[in-house]
Amino acid sequence: MLSMIFADGFGLAQLGAALGAAIAAIGAGIGIGRIGSSAMEAIARQPESAGDIRSNMIVIAALIEGVALFAVIVSALALFIK
């Protein structure tokens, strides 16, 4: 049965692309959550530097989102490149 589904390998490519995109999204969510948590702790310890901490947090979160988007695009391209 499985040999019929994965006969040309396209089914495995779809599975791999879905897993790659899922891992990238989960990793980005965990990373942004940890950044937010650390930033809130830092702001609680030094409220006077809240603006600097917040701006750095936003820049780092944007970089993580960029890497996650890149990983999802690569996973999608894996479907079309043989």
Side-chain angles (χ1 to χ4, degrees):
M1 179 76 173
L2 285 176
S3 63
M4 292 173 45
I5 296 171
F6 299 125
D8 62 349
F10 187 70
L12 289 176
Q14 286 179 327
L15 182 65
L19 285 174
I23 290 170
I26 290 170
I30 291 171
I32 291 174
R34 291 190 67 186
I35 288 170
S37 171
S38 298
M40 292 303 110
E41 285 181 23
I43 289 171
R45 290 182 185 181
Q46 292 183 334
E48 65 274 3
S49 62
D52 293 335
I53 294 170
R54 188 177 302 119
S55 63
N56 286 335
M57 179 188 72
I58 291 170
V59 168
I60 294 170
L63 291 173
I64 289 176
E65 285 293 325
V67 169
L69 179 64
F70 181 71
V72 169
I73 297 292
V74 168
S75 295
L77 287 176
L79 291 175
F80 303 110
I81 297 175
K82 283 193 174 189

